Amino acid sequence: MKFFLAGKWQDRKEQLDVTNPANGDVIDTVPVASADDIEAALHSAQAGAKVMAALTGYERFQILRRAADLLLERRDQLAQVLSSEEGKTITEASSEVERSAQAMELSGEEAKRLGGEVLPLDGGQGVQNKLGFTLRIPCGVVAAITPFNFPLSLVCHKVGPALAAGNAVILKPASDTPLIALHLVKALLDAGLPGTAISCLTGSGRSVGQAICSDKRVRKISFTGSYEVGEQICAIAGIKKVTMELGANSPLIVLPDADLDKVVAATVFSGFANAGQVCISAQRLIVTDQVHDELMGKLIPQIESIVSGDQLSRETQMGPMVRSADAARVHDWISEAEKQGASIACGGQREGAFMEPTLLLSAGKDMKVVKDELFGPAVAVCSARDADDAIAMANDSNFGLSAGVFTQDVDAAVRFAKEVDCGNVHINGGPLWRTDLMPYGGIKDSGLGKEGPRYAIDEMTEMKSVVIHS
Ligand code: NAD
């Protein structure tokens, strides 16, 4: 595919292969953006920001609404592209397209109600005859840098709110999964988006991403990806607004009175959806001793029954990881944990980019599979004595994105909600759950700021105070 730059689809001699991780086949190629291309994108975005800010909220709503409809109309084709380049199953890819349309629809709705508030200025000592109010104005140029694992949905979570708020966007999708982002740009243009309102540049994160993020013409960076890259971006961003949606090693906690069948279903879904490559995957299953053996007896057969294989087959429940190198890393971490005293209850083998769904027992806090972000299809079981121990273990992490706790005891549930340090807490649900109407984002090393169109728009606008003196 070509990339979209300064109102035109353009090609370049230097190309990047996009491959199917299941077999390494090249599906397509995309151009590698040069320094001149980045300059052209920044220049065009400045003009595009003026065009977008001049549209009414209703006009921006109409564009986003139409784009949402086009995504749904094109769902089967888009799911095929997404599944082929990312490796997630075709079923997961179809539902990602639907969720992406929802993010665009909600963003459009927010475009209709961007407002400010009247300020109670006369509450200040000696203030009389002043009328104050706030306006929300667009930031101008928003840089959207996105990861491979939800290459449509997470792009929509940035591009939708940015356009709804009246900004122009420079999008830099992940190098492994650029095609679906380019298809989104096509849908937006077909829906009537002015050409200068978006550029989508493909190429390596280090060169393209870095050059965009360090430029002063960008006023806001919305980044989703790893902690390491997030930290590099913050170091070069300068004076800009930043949203950082980073990684995690989310806990799923099981207290003695938990409904174990629900725990099993939540663990299988939260641990192995998208081959474990979800920022809120359940990585640490923290189980109180009283229910450990009974839970394992129910859980292991369910993990063993996950059908993995060709992601484009409707029968497949788990596809390959995005790269063989990532599967090799996950395999290494599991082998290392085994040497450190953990045992493999099921799975543990790798072939190319396919890593078997794996359950590790007797995992300890110093193992990489527990303390770092694994981002693969394995769940590490850690034993806890009681609720106090479980809370301490859940919080023994640099990350803080999402957590789930299973209990029938409302007091224990409320205690977990208050005391587990993370952005989202699910009571009787796994950590992998999100709907686009809620504020979503991490604390600690999991990030800064919130997504979800309503909340992302706050982060992608500036608040201006106006005072009328009379
Ligand atoms: P990554 O950090 O390797 O890459 C993310 C994006 O940053 C890509 O587009 C990449 O090209 C770009 N990039 C790389 N180096 C850059 C640099 N120096 N400057 C600017 N941009 C650069 O992440 P990934 O492997 O694509 O995705 C997996 C990570 O994303 C995991 O850590 C996961 O937890 C995280 N993630 C977080 C959320 C969330 O909402 N918190 C959601 C999905 C994924």
Side-chain angles (χ1 to χ4, degrees), residues 31-358:
V32 174
S34 65
D36 286 348
D37 294 327
I38 295 162
E39 178 55 33
L42 287 159
H43 188 73
S44 167
Q46 281 188 299
K50 291 200 179 102
V51 174
M52 287 304 289
L55 295 180
T56 64
Y58 193 79
E59 286 167 330
R60 298 195 298 266
F61 152 74
Q62 284 181 306
I63 294 167
L64 291 165
R65 169 74 262 173
R66 278 196 292 264
D69 289 341
L70 288 173
L71 292 182
L72 292 177
E73 273 171 33
R74 299 171 188 178
R75 181 182 48 197
D76 292 349
Q77 182 213 353
L78 295 177
Q80 188 85 14
V81 171
L82 204 170
S83 173
S84 302
E85 66 178 345
E86 203 270 353
K88 66 181 55 182
T89 67
I90 190 78
T91 313
E92 289 172 323
S94 294
S95 84
E96 183 171 342
V97 177
E98 283 168 22
R99 285 292 300 278
S100 303
Q102 191 183 71
M104 296 304 263
E105 179 188 331
L106 286 173
S107 299
E109 291 295 333
E110 293 299 329
K112 291 194 281 190
R113 40 178 177 257
L114 264 173
E117 59 180 322
V118 173
L119 299 170
L121 296 182
D122 67 358
Q125 202 176 9
V127 178
Q128 279 182 334
N129 302 325
K130 314 279 181 211
L131 175 64
F133 57 93
T134 61
L135 294 175
R136 282 237 161 241
I137 57 164
C139 286
V141 178
V142 172
I145 317 268
T146 52
F148 75 84
N149 63 331
F150 286 89
L152 181 60
S153 163
L154 295 176
V155 170
C156 287
H157 269 286
K158 301 186 183 313
V159 169
L163 297 176
N167 299 291
V169 183
I170 302 178
L171 168 63
K172 159 52 193 105
S175 312
D176 291 302
T177 53
L179 302 177
I180 193 69
L182 292 165
H183 280 278
L184 172 72
V185 172
K186 186 164 182 333
L188 280 162
L189 297 171
D190 291 346
L193 186 73
T196 50
I198 193 162
S199 281
C200 180
L201 291 179
T202 47
S204 102
R206 192 158 300 170
S207 52
V208 180
Q210 207 153 312
I212 297 168
C213 292
S214 58
D215 196 279
K216 268 187 172 301
R217 284 164 286 185
V218 172
R219 176 65 184 159
K220 159 83 194 173
I221 299 170
S222 179
F223 172 77
T224 301
S226 60
Y227 173 81
E228 291 72 23
V229 173
E231 198 175 36
Q232 285 168 29
I233 290 176
C234 286
I236 58 166
I239 309 289
K240 291 188 180 75
K241 289 160 81 85
V242 289
T243 298
M244 291 280 142
E245 296 285 351
L246 310 176
N249 56 358
S250 300
L252 191 162
I253 300 136
V254 189
L255 295 188
D257 60 353
D259 179 329
L260 296 186
D261 292 327
K262 286 188 181 159
V263 173
V264 169
T267 306
V268 170
F269 177 70
S270 296
F272 302 99
N274 199 24
Q277 301 162 110
V278 187
C279 49
I280 44 179
S281 286
Q283 181 177 324
R284 298 177 291 148
L285 185 60
I286 299 174
V287 186
T288 41
D289 293 333
Q290 294 95 316
V291 285
H292 180 279
D293 293 353
E294 190 186 349
L295 177 62
M296 294 310 125
K298 287 172 181 266
L299 179 59
I300 293 166
Q302 291 300 315
I303 296 176
E304 283 173 331
S305 73
I306 295 172
V307 178
S308 81
D310 174 11
Q311 74 268 31
L312 292 166
S313 158
R314 288 267 164 207
E315 315 302 310
T316 301
Q317 293 170 317
M318 197 183 96
M321 293 186 64
V322 73
R323 287 174 289 253
S324 297
D326 281 13
R329 177 189 52 78
V330 170
H331 185 260
D332 286 351
W333 287 23
I334 288 170
S335 306
E336 188 182 294
E338 218 183 347
K339 286 192 199 110
Q340 292 170 328
S343 61
I344 296 177
C346 59
Q349 298 302 309
R350 168 182 91 95
E351 207 179 316
F354 288 91
M355 181 70 217
E356 280 182 346
T358 302

Side-chain angles (χ1 to χ4, degrees), residues 451-462:
E451 287 201 334
R454 180 176 150 208
Y455 307 93
I457 281 177
D458 279 349
E459 313 242 2
M460 291 178 174
T461 48
E462 315 260 13

